[in-house]
Amino acid sequence: MEAYRVIQVKQSVFADNNARADQLRRELKEKGIFLVNLMSSPGAGKTTLLTRLIEILGRDLKIGVMEADIDSDVDAGTIARTGAKVIQLHTGGMCHLDADMTWQGLKQLEPEGLDLVILENVGNLVCPAEFDTGACLNMMILSVPEGHDKPLKYPLIFQVCQGMVVNKIDVLPYFDFDMEQVTQFARMRNPELTIVPVSAKTGEGVPALADWLKQKIQHWKESGARRQEND
Amino acid sequence: MEAYRVIQVKQSVFADNNARADQLRRELKEKGIFLVNLMSSPGAGKTTLLTRLIEILGRDLKIGVMEADIDSDVDAGTIARTGAKVIQLHTGGMCHLDADMTWQGLKQLEPEGLDLVILENVGNLVCPAEFDTGACLNMMILSVPEGHDKPLKYPLIFQVCQGMVVNKIDVLPYFDFDMEQVTQFARMRNPELTIVPVSAKTGEGVPALADWLKQKIQHWKESGARRQEND
């Protein structure tokens, strides 16, 4: 039995990505599926963090993962071993996913019955931040070796995310990375940003991140219930 | 006295970027200026490596640097302290530089009399690889914390570069990074790729990289001389 499929997503034919994203969010709401768009530089630790998160969140939630890459399927293979439902998306050279590409991926994942789907976007701090994927939550990873000056250089991604994970804190002693500075720089871009330091390698901090995500999902579900009551 | 200027480069009006790039290369050849396009993920160590390279290459060559970023001028400030001629380019949100943006930057740098100009491209493993900047040499950095699987996921950048620097080898003991694997994966993409392991932090390996660059510049100069003899 194959553990996962690889599908090629095609560049959107929709002129208005924002409208397509809103439409997708409405569809997800109706189905009760919470979609997280996870972004970072290449090699910041998205896939390793996901395996840790699935370990914890998988106790209460049915989880699906869409792994987007320009090429290769190493990440889908890693996620498949956690037992989560997973699909590998190839972007055909594209540096980001838009809402319609995300929709194409979801259709192939067949997410009915899942509580949470995590989209691992293409490793890139620039372009993915420019396109609303239709996700309910944008989350990013900044890893310690990348340096604490990144909010100064790549403003938009810090602005569009609700959560920022500072990953690889296990190697803090070997890098000139200042946690206070990065907090200050990131909050300059986005005062509402939740910042969670973790080591996906050792697991440190991941339970706190899982709790935060569970709260976000709960709040999203309740806001829907309230809206239905008002209808 | 200001140490450097910040200029805003504008998206190209040239339909044919490749033609514009060839034109720029011809102009650089006439002026005897060797242009290097340095690419990597965010935080791979481009600026730190440049300060080390300038220390060595600056003994024999007059060097200029163009620091491209979406925002901030922290990198230009760092390079200015080396004494090299430097300019900060802001891309206005653009995720890469094309040949005309590079040309706009060079015009502001006023490179006449320089032997070597290094363009530090926007931190991004995807988009910069798709645009010929008009450089005489493409060089990339892959840093140890990013992982050895990157040539599998981001094929194009490994194909368009002549040199790949593996940076941050000082932290090899703390990461699961396999130098043999990365060499194999990178050569799968580009059999001709020169791979140089360095630590920009400690300086290890940088003299070998400087030697390789000097050879490339020498070869480029001689090929020009030969062509002139034949004219």
Side-chain angles (χ1 to χ4, degrees):
Chain A
M1 198 193 98
E2 65 177 350
Y4 57 88
R5 280 174 305 140
V6 178
I7 74 149
Q8 182 79 28
V9 286
K10 292 188 185 72
Q11 200 168 353
S12 176
V13 293
F14 287 78
D16 188 344
N17 184 63
N18 290 342
R20 184 65 170 151
D22 287 338
Q23 186 190 353
L24 178 55
R25 249 186 306 273
R26 279 194 302 273
E27 285 179 29
L28 290 166
K29 188 83 196 189
E30 280 166 24
K31 292 179 181 168
I33 302 165
F34 191 81
L35 177 65
V36 174
N37 173 26
L38 179 60
M39 298 177 281
S40 82
S41 293
K46 291 185 291 301
T47 313
T48 310
L49 181 67
L50 282 190
T51 62
R52 289 283 187 179
L53 274 176
I54 291 166
E55 218 176 286
I56 300 174
L57 293 173
R59 292 173 204 149
D60 305 313
L61 302 170
K62 292 200 193 73
I63 304 175
V65 174
M66 300 193 288
E67 287 289 340
D69 267 306
I70 288 169
D71 205 350
S72 100
D73 55 5
V74 290
D75 289 344
T78 306
I79 296 297
R81 287 191 286 278
T82 68
K85 194 169 186 179
V86 61
I87 193 166
Q88 177 78 49
L89 311 182
H90 281 173
T91 65
M94 284 283 283
C95 50
H96 66 274
L97 288 185
D98 61 20
D100 192 66
M101 293 165 93
T102 305
W103 184 86
Q104 293 171 46
L106 277 168
K107 200 174 151 188
Q108 297 289 328
L109 181 69
E110 299 170 351
E112 286 71 20
L114 297 178
D115 304 299
L116 169 65
V117 173
I118 303 172
L119 167 65
E120 187 183 316
N121 216 313
V122 179
N124 183 336
L125 276 194
V126 188
C127 316
E130 293 170 16
F131 293 85
D132 188 344
T133 59
C136 313
L137 181 86
N138 285 333
M139 187 164 91
M140 69 172 292
I141 303 177
L142 179 69
S143 64
V144 165
E146 292 171 72
H148 56 248
D149 61 354
K150 292 302 158 290
L152 301 178
K153 296 181 180 178
Y154 305 90
L156 188 61
I157 196 160
F158 295 86
Q159 287 162 24
V160 301
C161 284
Q162 289 84 61
M164 169 173 115
V165 178
V166 179
N167 190 23
K168 307 193 187 179
I169 58 169
D170 54 293
V171 295
L172 270 170
Y174 314 113
F175 290 91
D176 306 320
F177 185 93
D178 188 324
M179 195 69 81
E180 277 182 38
Q181 280 261 287
V182 83
T183 303
Q184 186 195 329
F185 292 155
R187 292 259 165 80
M188 196 175 82
R189 297 302 185 192
N190 179 358
E192 306 296 320
L193 191 67
T194 296
I195 301 174
V196 188
V198 312
S199 165
K201 193 176 182 179
T202 68
E204 189 185 348
V206 182
L209 179 64
D211 283 344
W212 179 74
L213 277 171
K214 276 196 266 189
Q215 278 173 28
K216 286 284 170 190
I217 297 170
Q218 194 58 37
H219 184 260
W220 173 82
K221 278 186 179 169
E222 284 167 5
S223 74
R226 276 201 299 276
R227 265 213 291 276
Q228 280 180 327
E229 282 160 24
N230 294 340
D231 277 350
Chain B
M1 198 195 99
E2 66 176 350
Y4 56 88
R5 280 174 307 139
V6 178
I7 74 147
Q8 181 80 27
V9 286
K10 293 188 185 71
Q11 199 169 352
S12 177
V13 293
F14 287 77
D16 188 345
N17 183 61
N18 290 342
R20 184 66 170 150
D22 287 339
Q23 185 191 354
L24 178 54
R25 250 186 307 272
R26 278 194 303 274
E27 284 180 31
L28 290 166
K29 187 83 197 191
E30 280 165 22
K31 292 178 181 168
I33 302 165
F34 191 80
L35 177 65
V36 174
N37 173 26
L38 179 59
M39 298 176 280
S40 81
S41 294
K46 292 185 289 300
T47 313
T48 310
L49 181 67
L50 282 189
T51 62
R52 289 284 187 178
L53 273 175
I54 291 166
E55 218 176 285
I56 300 175
L57 293 174
R59 292 172 203 150
D60 305 313
L61 302 170
K62 293 201 193 72
I63 304 175
V65 174
M66 300 193 289
E67 288 288 338
D69 268 306
I70 288 170
D71 205 350
S72 100
D73 54 4
V74 289
D75 289 344
T78 306
I79 296 297
R81 287 191 286 277
T82 67
K85 194 170 187 179
V86 62
I87 193 167
Q88 177 78 48
L89 311 182
H90 282 173
T91 64
M94 283 283 284
C95 50
H96 65 273
L97 288 185
D98 62 20
D100 191 65
M101 293 165 92
T102 305
W103 184 86
Q104 291 171 47
L106 276 168
K107 200 174 151 189
Q108 297 290 328
L109 181 69
E110 298 169 352
E112 286 71 20
L114 297 178
D115 304 299
L116 169 66
V117 173
I118 303 173
L119 167 65
E120 188 183 316
N121 215 311
V122 180
N124 183 336
L125 276 194
V126 188
C127 316
E130 292 169 17
F131 294 85
D132 188 345
T133 58
C136 313
L137 180 86
N138 284 332
M139 188 164 91
M140 68 172 292
I141 304 178
L142 179 69
S143 64
V144 165
E146 292 173 72
H148 56 249
D149 60 355
K150 292 301 159 289
L152 301 178
K153 296 180 179 178
Y154 305 89
L156 188 62
I157 196 160
F158 296 86
Q159 287 162 23
V160 301
C161 283
Q162 288 84 62
M164 169 173 116
V165 178
V166 179
N167 190 24
K168 308 193 188 179
I169 58 169
D170 54 294
V171 295
L172 269 170
Y174 314 113
F175 289 92
D176 307 318
F177 186 93
D178 188 325
M179 196 69 82
E180 278 182 39
Q181 279 261 289
V182 82
T183 303
Q184 185 195 327
F185 292 155
R187 292 259 165 79
M188 196 175 81
R189 297 300 185 191
N190 180 356
E192 306 297 321
L193 191 66
T194 296
I195 301 174
V196 188
V198 312
S199 165
K201 192 175 182 180
T202 68
E204 189 185 348
V206 181
L209 179 64
D211 283 344
W212 178 74
L213 277 171
K214 277 196 264 187
Q215 278 172 29
K216 286 283 168 189
I217 297 169
Q218 194 56 36
H219 184 260
W220 172 80
K221 278 186 179 166
E222 284 168 4
S223 73
R226 276 202 299 277
R227 267 213 290 276
Q228 282 180 326
E229 283 161 25
N230 294 338
D231 277 348

